[in-house]
Amino acid sequence: MKIRSIVISLAVAAISLTGVQALACTNLLAGKNATIDGSTLITYAADSHTLYGDLQYLPAADHKPGTMHQVVEWDTGKPLGYIPEVAHTYAVVGNINEHQVTVAESTFGGRHELLDTTKNAIIDYGSLMYIALQRSRTAREAIKVMTDLVAQYGYCSEGESFSIGDPNEVWVMEMIGKGGKEKGAVWVAIRIPDDCISAHANQSRIYRIPLKDKQNCMYSKDVISFARKMGYFSGKDEDFEFSRAYSPADFGTLRGCDARAWSYFNRFKSGMDAYLPFINGKKGAEVMPLYVKPDRKVSCRDLQNMMRDHFEGTPFDMTKDPGAKD
């Protein structure tokens, strides 16, 4: 059988034990018509100098009625609670399951007051990923599993961008909690067009939401109303931007995080200099899109090489900046 969905996992630990963001998590995505062999591609680097990566292996299993699943915080190993197990769970190796569903992430943090530290929230971002992999046969099913879980059991991590894919589709979903004021999380998921590439790296990447495109966009019913309630947004629904409301960018997140997505786009799409003012934090600059159509189809090796990128040949070239060695 030809494997048509690939995850390139370079590391698996995303946040330090102290809870400080590593700010080194990068996901590069490509739709099936944007790749040379028709595979969907998702890369995952989650670097942290205080955690050591492991390769998860969760065998497929059948569970008797009444079996409970213990939720253990991925970063710390702290037990958080229990949820009912499903009748059958799928095999998982790394960040991909037997149905070639893939889930990866990068932490954007967002508004820190929205971190739910109450006992009503027992699902952390890492558990969310692996429970979804055990229970999903498609990317859309994984999105439903993840959003249903946090709605029922609460979400106890900071803001996350998730890459979710299967052999046919790739999605970016962004999620942030409600600070214990209400249970659950607000979220939005957008399907990346099959002929496009996308990326996220520790900063929220979803701005305008195509509210009427039900086939390619899903979102929590209160994603806008909760922002209004919290005073994050006051305009028309069609002008709502998830990132501006829940994770306002600053120069550090633009230059240190969005620049990594820009470099990927720049390598395969002409004209990306148009977004340098945005990356450099210029007020009123045009926002870099969530996805672009590459000038040529990309390969697995292309994405592997991009994960080794140091901005060579760009204004951000790390081999020529003040920190570079002679």
Side-chain angles (χ1 to χ4, degrees):
M1 180 183 70
K2 182 181 179 182
I3 297 178
R4 295 180 57 84
S5 181
I6 302 173
V7 58
I8 307 169
S9 183
L10 302 184
V12 294
I15 297 179
S16 71
L17 286 170
T18 61
V20 178
Q21 292 181 50
L23 293 181
C25 310
T26 305
N27 290 186
L28 310 179
L29 303 85
K32 62 183 180 180
N33 293 337
T35 64
I36 289 174
D37 65 356
S39 299
T40 59
L41 295 174
I42 294 174
T43 73
Y44 184 26
D47 297 335
S48 173
H49 68 282
T50 58
L51 290 177
Y52 299 93
D54 63 352
L55 185 66
Q56 293 277 345
Y57 172 60
L58 305 170
D62 294 313
H63 306 280
K64 296 179 180 179
T67 301
M68 301 298 286
H69 176 98
Q70 185 179 31
V71 179
V72 177
E73 189 172 36
W74 191 36
D75 292 335
T76 66
K78 174 186 175 181
L80 297 175
Y82 291 86
I83 63 173
E85 190 58 273
V86 295
H88 180 77
T89 50
Y90 306 121
V92 177
V93 177
N95 290 78
I96 190 168
N97 74 11
E98 64 183 273
H99 298 289
Q100 300 180 50
V101 176
T102 298
V103 184
E105 57 76 41
S106 72
T107 302
F108 63 79
R111 295 188 183 272
H112 299 298
E113 68 268 23
L114 296 183
L115 175 62
D116 189 345
T117 59
T118 70
K119 293 182 179 180
N120 292 323
I122 65 168
I123 304 291
D124 69 296
Y125 78 100
S127 299
L128 194 61
M129 293 164 59
Y130 292 104
I131 294 172
L133 287 170
Q134 288 182 296
R135 300 183 179 193
S136 306
R137 292 167 295 178
T138 67
R140 290 175 187 264
E141 195 170 289
I143 292 169
K144 178 170 173 49
V145 169
M146 294 169 79
T147 56
D148 284 353
L149 282 171
V150 297
Q152 186 170 359
Y153 300 106
Y155 179 63
C156 62
S157 293
E158 289 191 294
E160 288 284 336
S161 299
F162 296 98
S163 296
I164 304 170
D166 62 30
N168 294 304
E169 298 182 346
V170 288
W171 292 72
V172 172
M173 179 171 73
E174 297 195 331
M175 175 182 291
I176 194 166
K178 299 180 180 181
K181 299 169 182 63
E182 299 177 20
K183 199 170 187 177
V186 288
W187 57 273
V188 58
I190 294 180
R191 182 187 176 190
I192 306 306
D194 292 340
D195 60 355
C196 289
I197 60 176
S198 184
H200 54 88
N202 298 117
Q203 171 56 23
S204 171
R205 295 272 291 112
I206 297 177
Y207 283 79
R208 291 285 181 95
I209 301 175
L211 298 169
K212 297 181 180 180
D213 187 357
K214 304 299 184 183
Q215 183 64 23
N216 299 299
C217 179
M218 295 180 270
Y219 49 89
S220 58
K221 63 181 180 180
D222 59 347
V223 67
I224 299 176
S225 61
F226 185 76
R228 291 185 190 280
K229 185 184 301 184
M230 296 297 294
Y232 304 151
F233 177 71
S234 61
K236 298 178 180 179
D237 283 3
E238 57 266 31
D239 295 328
F240 177 74
E241 295 178 315
F242 184 92
S243 185
R244 289 196 199 279
Y246 294 112
S247 183
D250 57 26
F251 179 77
T253 57
L254 291 168
R255 179 62 182 83
C257 301
D258 276 347
R260 282 178 266 157
W262 175 86
S263 189
Y264 174 44
F265 291 174
N266 183 61
R267 191 74 64 182
F268 300 104
K269 175 69 174 178
S270 58
M272 290 305 298
D273 282 359
Y275 300 102
L276 283 174
F278 171 76
I279 297 300
N280 283 314
K282 183 178 180 180
K283 188 175 181 180
E286 183 180 359
V287 172
M288 185 172 65
L290 176 63
Y291 51 80
V292 298
K293 183 177 179 179
D295 294 335
R296 66 170 177 84
K297 293 189 175 184
V298 302
S299 67
C300 185
R301 179 67 70 183
D302 286 329
L303 268 66
Q304 183 181 37
N305 289 337
M306 277 307 306
M307 296 297 281
R308 298 167 175 164
D309 179 65
H310 298 89
F311 300 104
E312 289 89 348
T314 79
F316 310 130
D317 194 333
M318 296 174 68
T319 66
K320 298 178 180 179
D321 67 16
K325 292 184 178 181
D326 293 334

